[in-house]
Amino acid sequence: MLLTPAAGGGRPAAPPVHGPALVADLARHGSATALVEDGHRVTYGDLARMVDDRAEALGTTRRLVLVAIRSTTTSVVDYLAALRGGHAVLLTADDDAVVAGLVAAYDPDVVLRPDAPVDERRVGTAHDLHPDLTLLLSTSGSTGSPKLVRLSRENVDSNAAAIAASLGLEPDDRAVTSLPLHYTYGLSVLHSHLRVGAAVVLTGLSVVDACFWDLVRAEAVTGVAGVPHTFELLARTGFTGAGLPALRRVTQAGGRMAPDAVRRWHETGRRHGWDLVVMYGQTEATARIAVLPPHLTGAHPGSIGRAVPGGELRVEPVPETADDPDAGELVYRGPNVMLGYAEEPADLALGRTLTELRTGDLGRQRDGVFEVVGRRSRFVKLFGLRIDLGVLDARLADAGLVAACAGDDDVLVVVVEREGLERGGAAGAGAVEAVRRRLAGACGVPGTVIDVVVADALPRLASGKVDLPAVRDLAARRRTTGGRAADPTAGAWGTARQPAHGASVEGLRALYAELLERPDATADSTFVGLGGDSLSYVEVAVRLEERLGTLPPGWHLTTVRDLAAAAHQDDGARRRGRLGGRLETSVALRAIGILLVVMTHSNVLFVPGGAHLLLGVAGFNFARFQLSAADRTTRVRRVGASLGRLLVPSVLWISVAGAVTGLYSPATALMLTNVLGPDGWGSAWHFWFLEAVVWIVVGVTALLSVPVLDRLERRRPFATVGMVLGLGLLFRFEVLALDTGPTIQTPQNLLWLFALGWAAARAATVWQRLAVTAAALLTVPGFFDNPLREALVVLSLAALVWVTGVPFPRVLSRVAGVLAAGSLYVYVTHWTVYPYLEDDYPVLGVLASFAVGLAYWQLVERVTRRVTLVRRQTQERRTAGSRATTPA
């Protein structure tokens, strides 16, 4: 049900001010820029009006409002409006599973999600909400945790003001969403900048993406926030901040960073004109607790600094630090300390249950600043010795290793990232043994109870923090299998090897890293998020199906972690998956389409329409992959990368074939036949399919780069594709006409068919699926003047709409997967193979066409991976050289 404003004549007055002052005072900053998204600027005055309008729609009855937030203007407006109206806001990530879990646990009255209708679950409220309750956040960055932190208006306002004062934020400052907004650190960036009238640039790009830094430069960003993992990623890319004249500060929080790394980044910033600001915080204190002034960083790189204005830190002795009189638990008192925790809806009625925060961190004070030395809750007991895992993590970090420890009273498990070992000049069993000896010496225990696991990457949360529960789960699995000696998943030198069914988180992450050439893949990565497209989709899908048995719907948008969890099904299902599975419909259609194209051209059979079938599939995949990007910049980058993978091998082959045979003009090779004409070459239209795909994708991407259309596509994706379909039908029925070539082979005349495939991907309801099916039945007949071709196209579109997977024997599904994955290359090369065999040996012509095409596919893949590897190694050598000469 949609929310509606209160009844009455005229426009109702703005809702009473109940929310934090930083929201109520938005309008006072007037024409200053508040938000920037994809080049579109929103002033504070406009933002205040948008927030008031949205708050008005939410009504004046105070309710529990769940806001699933992204780094977009509409999502931020939803969040601020809920605060503005005085509601209790439960903020979380925009993730189906997380939202479902919190809805089940807390039964919110309203659910607001990006690009989705308002879900008003009841009129009024089902909850007794304490008057001070303003914001609810998941604890410790573990999004979706049913244990929530209860925050008040005073908590939010005081911490925003304290952070702004600590950093010296001014109205001309400009931040960027380098961290997710549902994470308390990322949210505090938004709060503190709104507090002083500064601007925030909204983006979903990663700091390892060159486009992120292009955006930082173009928008004159003055501040970037990061957690330790952010800095690990930046170090791999050789980032120094050079060429960013507006950059003033880079803040670090979210966990301890090794003192040597702090010192290197501090010196790098000084050389390039920006400050490294080390900070310390917890969700329970609304965000940040302490700040290390940049001028003290060089002398105290292991420190967290001093309490933020209005706060007080002290060290309180605890039994764990009895042997160190200067150490104890860090205890914080200040106006930003939470009201308390909530573990069930009844807790939302509670007021303040504590006045100070026992952080759980062990620390000491030296020279007027504080440092963290361990964690009370992270202890194991081996041979009667109490071992602080946090201290071990810190020691390994100080040695240049990215690692995390876990265990119980029988075994200590440490997961170490491979790159750190190799960067130190060691590898193999010797490197693992060195880590084991280091830990054994630090703990005073035998090395036989220490198990070292080497992984490409530590499991991490969306915030970038190490996923300690996942590390503990690994330790528990190692414990139950007898540790290092008896663990059947242990590799030759301690590296975790795939379980029999190949569905471990690390195994799937490594598969993504290999097939998508993305070593930065994590447990929270998705196929689409890593830049996967229709060309890489088939190979990844087939390889995943071999490991998982059956792919879940929407797997390309599912995280590696969730795929691995879904794979832990019953043994019977896995056995059935080995004997037979389901081939994803678009993959099956690609295999069928290329078979029909080659067999029809070779005169083995006559079933025309294979290429047009593939065009519908191209539209289907365009919607799933390119249009799933979080912002326009990422969309354009993905489109460019995908077109590059299509064009480079195609243009290369056509150019060489044209030079050798004289069949093709330069216009054909450059996909310009539709623009320049065939120039007398009889074979000019051989590659009409490729040319149609290229120009349709380019045209649609340009169209959706218009901000208003981009926003419309995100909010109403099915309506938007309906508009594109309508435009295409104007050419289909010759209301508009461009005579540039054969009617059934030119981009403008095929836009409607591409749009039908796109609509099939966007059809989310039964009525929408029926609409797409009806559109195919009404528009395809009569276009080709060939009933067989038309029936094939209609059936393929209907399959995309209604059928998610096709039952296939395992052996045949692998063959179909290979044909589908190599379909582009077979299509490009078969024109120069089958004509020499079609008259006398048509079947041989088909076999030879596939053999040459698949061989060319493998050659291109190998060359591409080799080039990528060389480029990465060159970058790593440059980075290593930079580290050796300058502390960066």
Side-chain angles (χ1 to χ4, degrees):
M1 178 171 62
L2 291 177
L3 295 167
T4 56
R11 176 176 170 174
V17 176
H18 294 298
L22 68 88
V23 182
D25 292 344
L26 290 173
R28 74 183 178 91
H29 301 297
S31 60
T33 298
L35 304 175
V36 181
E37 183 185 3
D38 291 338
H40 178 67
R41 285 157 174 73
V42 178
T43 68
Y44 272 91
D46 289 339
L47 180 61
R49 285 188 288 273
M50 293 164 68
V51 168
D52 282 349
D53 287 345
R54 191 62 159 160
E56 185 178 285
L58 286 171
T60 56
T61 300
R62 192 159 185 264
R63 298 195 280 181
L64 178 62
V65 180
L66 185 151
V67 179
I69 195 167
R70 286 189 205 157
S71 294
T72 64
T73 300
T74 55
S75 197
V76 170
V77 168
D78 279 348
Y79 167 64
L80 296 178
L83 290 179
R84 174 79 169 91
H87 303 286
V89 181
L90 199 175
L91 191 69
T92 188
D94 183 33
D95 177 275
D96 290 343
V98 170
V99 171
L102 289 173
V103 168
Y106 283 92
D107 188 24
D109 303 310
V110 182
V111 176
L112 301 178
R113 299 193 66 177
D115 306 326
V118 174
D119 180 10
E120 187 178 21
R121 306 179 72 238
R122 61 181 61 87
V123 175
T125 182
H127 301 280
D128 182 7
L129 304 172
H130 192 276
D132 292 339
L133 180 63
T134 296
L135 182 60
L136 294 155
L137 298 175
S138 292
T139 57
S140 305
S142 53
T143 57
S145 168
K147 184 176 182 180
L148 304 176
V149 168
R150 296 182 291 114
L151 301 173
S152 68
R153 291 185 294 278
E154 182 189 22
N155 290 156
V156 173
D157 278 328
S158 66
N159 200 237
I163 291 168
S166 297
L167 296 178
L169 296 181
E170 300 288 345
D172 64 345
D173 269 298
R174 184 164 288 194
V176 63
T177 52
S178 49
L179 297 169
L181 291 177
H182 65 266
Y183 173 41
T184 183
Y185 182 12
L187 185 64
S188 74
V189 172
L190 176 68
H191 286 171
S192 57
H193 282 71
L194 294 180
R195 176 69 171 74
V196 300
V200 178
V201 179
L202 302 172
T203 179
L205 293 170
S206 165
V207 295
V208 298
D209 193 323
C211 294
F212 176 89
W213 296 106
D214 291 341
L215 179 66
V216 168
R217 184 179 300 104
E219 296 294 348
V221 168
T222 61
V224 177
V227 296
H229 183 54
T230 306
F231 290 86
E232 294 166 15
L233 295 175
L234 291 178
R236 295 174 189 174
T237 65
F239 170 81
T240 63
L244 301 172
L247 188 62
R248 299 175 188 169
R249 68 185 68 82
V250 177
T251 62
Q252 182 270 313
R256 180 182 184 273
M257 193 157 69
D260 285 348
V262 171
R263 188 179 287 110
R264 287 195 302 271
W265 286 110
H266 169 67
E267 293 298 331
T268 298
R270 289 174 65 90
R271 284 195 304 276
H272 294 285
W274 52 269
D275 288 326
L276 174 69
V277 184
V278 175
M279 312 185 82
Y280 166 78
Q282 291 187 357
T283 309
E284 288 84 346
T286 313
R288 287 171 264 189
I289 290 173
V291 178
L292 179 64
H295 70 275
L296 296 178
T297 305
H300 300 281
S303 170
I304 61 170
R306 301 164 179 160
V308 296
E312 175 189 336
L313 265 174
R314 73 176 189 273
V315 177
E316 184 172 296
V318 289
E320 291 86 352
T321 60
D323 56 345
D324 185 348
D326 295 328
E329 183 177 13
L330 291 176
V331 180
Y332 176 79
R333 177 184 289 268
N336 52 318
V337 172
M338 66 176 177
L339 299 174
Y341 290 111
E343 298 189 64
E344 59 181 354
D347 294 337
L348 305 183
L350 298 176
R352 181 169 292 282
T353 58
L354 75 167
T355 57
E356 61 182 20
L357 176 64
R358 304 189 69 86
T359 66
D361 286 323
L362 302 177
R364 62 170 66 92
Q365 185 177 15
R366 288 181 177 175
D367 301 327
V369 294
F370 291 86
E371 61 181 18
V372 175
V373 298
R375 180 80 183 159
R376 288 195 71 178
S377 60
R378 292 193 64 211
F379 285 90
V380 296
K381 217 168 191 180
L382 292 172
F383 292 90
L385 299 174
R386 190 178 179 86
I387 298 170
D388 186 336
L389 301 180
V391 170
L392 297 185
D393 290 347
R395 296 233 180 145
L396 292 170
D398 292 345
L401 299 175
V402 180
C405 298
D408 54 25
D409 291 347
D410 293 293
V411 65
L412 171 65
V413 175
V414 55
V415 183
V416 186
E417 287 194 357
R418 188 187 317 279
E419 184 179 348
L421 287 175
E422 295 174 349
R423 189 167 57 237
V432 170
E433 193 55 39
V435 173
R436 187 177 290 114
R437 286 198 305 270
R438 178 186 292 272
L439 291 177
C443 301
V445 300
T448 54
V449 296
I450 299 175
D451 193 5
V452 180
V453 180
V454 181
D456 289 329
L458 292 177
R460 294 186 183 274
L461 301 168
S463 64
K465 288 186 177 182
V466 174
D467 187 346
L468 291 175
V471 175
R472 287 195 293 271
D473 288 345
L474 174 60
R477 290 198 298 271
R478 308 286 273 193
R479 171 69 184 89
T480 57
T481 53
R484 181 161 37 92
D487 186 356
T489 70
W493 52 288
T495 305
R497 179 169 58 81
Q498 290 299 326
H501 54 84
S504 72
V505 173
E506 173 56 24
L508 297 183
R509 189 212 63 78
L511 181 69
Y512 274 32
E514 172 196 350
L515 297 183
L516 298 178
E517 298 173 12
R518 289 292 300 267
D520 58 326
T522 70
D524 294 306
S525 297
T526 66
F527 172 81
V528 170
L530 291 173
D533 58 17
S534 60
L535 295 176
S536 53
Y537 179 84
V538 177
E539 184 177 10
V540 176
V542 171
R543 293 280 293 277
L544 279 177
E545 191 177 36
E546 290 175 354
R547 298 188 180 204
L548 304 182
T550 300
L551 290 180
W555 69 265
H556 57 294
L557 300 173
T558 305
T559 65
V560 170
R561 189 191 315 280
D562 290 340
L563 280 176
H568 291 291
Q569 51 189 327
D570 63 272
D571 291 338
R574 281 203 297 272
R575 283 195 296 272
R576 290 192 297 271
R578 294 190 193 101
L579 295 174
R582 294 176 63 82
L583 197 62
E584 203 267 341
T585 301
S586 70
V587 176
L589 288 176
R590 282 173 67 172
I592 293 169
I594 194 61
L595 274 169
L596 293 179
V597 166
V598 176
M599 295 176 76
T600 298
H601 288 169
S602 301
N603 294 324
V604 171
L605 52 75
F606 183 75
V607 183
H612 291 92
L613 178 163
L614 292 174
L615 190 64
V617 174
F620 183 80
N621 286 329
F622 175 76
R624 291 200 298 170
F625 305 133
Q626 274 69 46
L627 294 188
S628 63
D631 52 63
R632 290 203 308 274
T633 302
T634 304
R635 175 182 294 169
V636 172
R637 178 174 54 82
R638 286 183 182 173
V639 169
S642 184
L643 288 180
R645 293 185 64 192
L646 182 152
L647 283 170
V648 171
S650 300
V651 170
L652 180 61
W653 182 275
I654 297 169
S655 299
V656 172
V660 173
T661 66
L663 286 174
Y664 307 120
S665 71
T668 304
L670 296 175
M671 307 293 159
L672 294 172
T673 304
N674 189 63
V675 178
L676 301 178
D679 292 334
W681 267 264
S683 306
W685 292 101
H686 278 178
F687 303 100
W688 66 266
F689 168 76
L690 297 180
E691 191 164 331
V693 170
V694 168
W695 288 109
I696 290 173
V697 168
V698 169
V700 169
T701 303
L703 188 68
L704 295 181
S705 293
V706 177
V708 65
L709 295 179
D710 174 70
R711 290 192 292 272
L712 178 64
E713 197 283 326
R714 296 178 191 281
R715 294 171 184 168
R716 298 188 179 277
F718 192 73
T720 304
V721 67
M723 294 170 56
V724 176
L725 175 60
L727 175 62
L729 289 176
L730 293 178
F731 290 98
R732 155 69 178 90
F733 291 107
E734 300 181 354
V735 177
L736 298 176
L738 289 174
D739 186 12
T740 58
T743 300
I744 65 172
Q745 294 178 343
T746 52
Q748 66 274 13
N749 293 327
L750 292 172
L751 173 61
W752 66 278
L753 183 54
F754 181 91
L756 280 175
W758 174 357
R762 286 293 189 246
T765 67
V766 172
W767 286 109
Q768 289 174 347
R769 295 189 185 106
L770 288 171
V772 176
T773 307
L777 289 169
L778 291 173
T779 59
V780 174
F783 182 67
F784 301 104
D785 289 327
N786 184 310
L788 181 60
R789 187 194 297 255
E790 291 164 355
L792 177 67
V793 173
V794 169
L795 288 174
S796 66
L797 289 170
L800 287 175
V801 172
W802 296 102
V803 181
T804 58
V806 181
F808 256 83
R810 178 65 64 192
V811 174
L812 290 183
S813 69
R814 291 175 182 170
V815 173
V818 171
L819 297 183
S823 57
L824 166 68
Y825 303 88
V826 174
Y827 180 85
V828 170
T829 61
H830 86 286
W831 296 104
T832 51
V833 177
Y834 82 85
Y836 301 101
L837 299 167
E838 63 175 322
D839 291 334
D840 299 322
Y841 308 102
V843 174
L844 183 58
V846 171
L847 296 176
S849 294
F850 278 100
V852 172
L854 296 177
Y856 185 48
W857 167 46
Q858 289 301 304
L859 174 63
V860 171
E861 290 291 299
R862 290 186 181 185
V863 171
T864 301
R865 288 176 180 173
R866 180 61 182 170
V867 169
T868 302
L869 177 61
V870 170
R871 187 167 54 196
R872 187 178 300 135
Q873 289 173 339
T874 301
Q875 180 63 52
E876 289 173 352
R877 283 195 295 270
R878 288 175 180 170
T879 303
S882 175
R883 291 195 188 106
T885 57
T886 60

